Amino acid sequence: MFRSKAEEDIYNILEENRIPYSYERGRIDYEWKESKSYIPDFFLLDNGIILEVKGRFKIEDRKKHLFIRQQKPWIDIRFIFTNPRAKLYKNGKMTNGTWCEKYKFKYCSIREGVPNDWINEKKRYNTINRILTEIK
């Protein structure tokens, strides 16, 4: 059912804590020289936050999220990494976490689970509806 063990771990955390969510509910379209779409891993139904679970954080994924942020800034995507300290490139200095900090994406480690402040964060009803209209 899940694309990775990390996604299954987040599923179990959400289930254990009875947190309303949907899993890969639909696609969010964005442009990348040609039309593309993105399937969010988890969409928190109470506040509209999208949880993107990552083991390897490939260049294509990083570009995709920058394009989405540029084109649809109302969409709140947050990353849950199996290892936020993993380097993006073999001999590079930048890690998953420092990339998120550079581009102002919130992130955490899967070992921490989903942060309570993310779960309890309230969003405006209009924002949630706007995101839901994006998901097809």
Side-chain angles (χ1 to χ4, degrees):
M1 175 174 168
F2 298 102
R3 295 176 191 254
S4 69
K5 173 73 169 103
E7 287 183 7
E8 185 175 359
D9 292 342
I10 293 302
Y11 162 80
N12 288 328
I13 290 168
L14 295 172
E15 284 290 312
E16 288 171 13
N17 292 287
R18 295 187 177 119
I19 299 164
Y21 68 90
S22 64
Y23 176 71
E24 294 192 347
R25 179 180 185 142
R27 298 176 185 274
I28 295 176
D29 295 329
Y30 68 98
E31 292 180 19
W32 185 356
K33 295 189 181 182
E34 73 252 15
S35 292
K36 297 277 190 180
S37 59
Y38 156 62
I39 301 173
D41 289 334
F42 295 93
F43 177 73
L44 300 184
L45 298 173
D46 286 345
N47 60 20
I49 293 171
I50 291 173
L51 304 178
E52 186 63 28
V53 182
K54 291 286 176 205
R56 291 185 59 216
F57 197 25
K58 300 176 189 171
I59 184 75
E60 296 84 13
D61 290 322
R62 298 191 303 271
K63 286 180 181 179
K64 170 178 61 183
H65 288 288
L66 291 175
F67 281 124
I68 293 169
R69 157 101 27 104
Q70 179 185 36
Q71 296 169 28
K72 301 172 189 279
W74 60 89
I75 296 178
D76 186 354
I77 300 173
R78 302 182 187 189
F79 294 94
I80 301 176
F81 292 109
T82 53
N83 182 3
R85 294 186 181 124
K87 292 187 177 184
L88 297 179
Y89 300 101
K90 187 175 182 179
N91 295 318
K93 293 180 182 177
M94 186 170 280
T95 65
N96 294 335
T98 57
W99 183 91
C100 285
E101 290 165 7
K102 178 178 180 177
Y103 294 104
K104 298 184 178 16
F105 283 94
K106 293 185 179 181
Y107 72 95
C108 69
S109 168
I110 198 165
R111 287 185 290 280
E112 301 166 25
V114 181
N116 285 330
D117 59 328
W118 294 8
I119 294 163
N120 297 323
E121 187 172 324
K122 297 299 177 205
K123 290 284 183 186
R124 294 185 324 229
Y125 185 71
N126 291 345
T127 302
I128 295 170
N129 283 340
R130 190 171 187 185
I131 294 170
L132 286 173
T133 61
E134 292 285 341
I135 298 175
K136 301 173 185 171

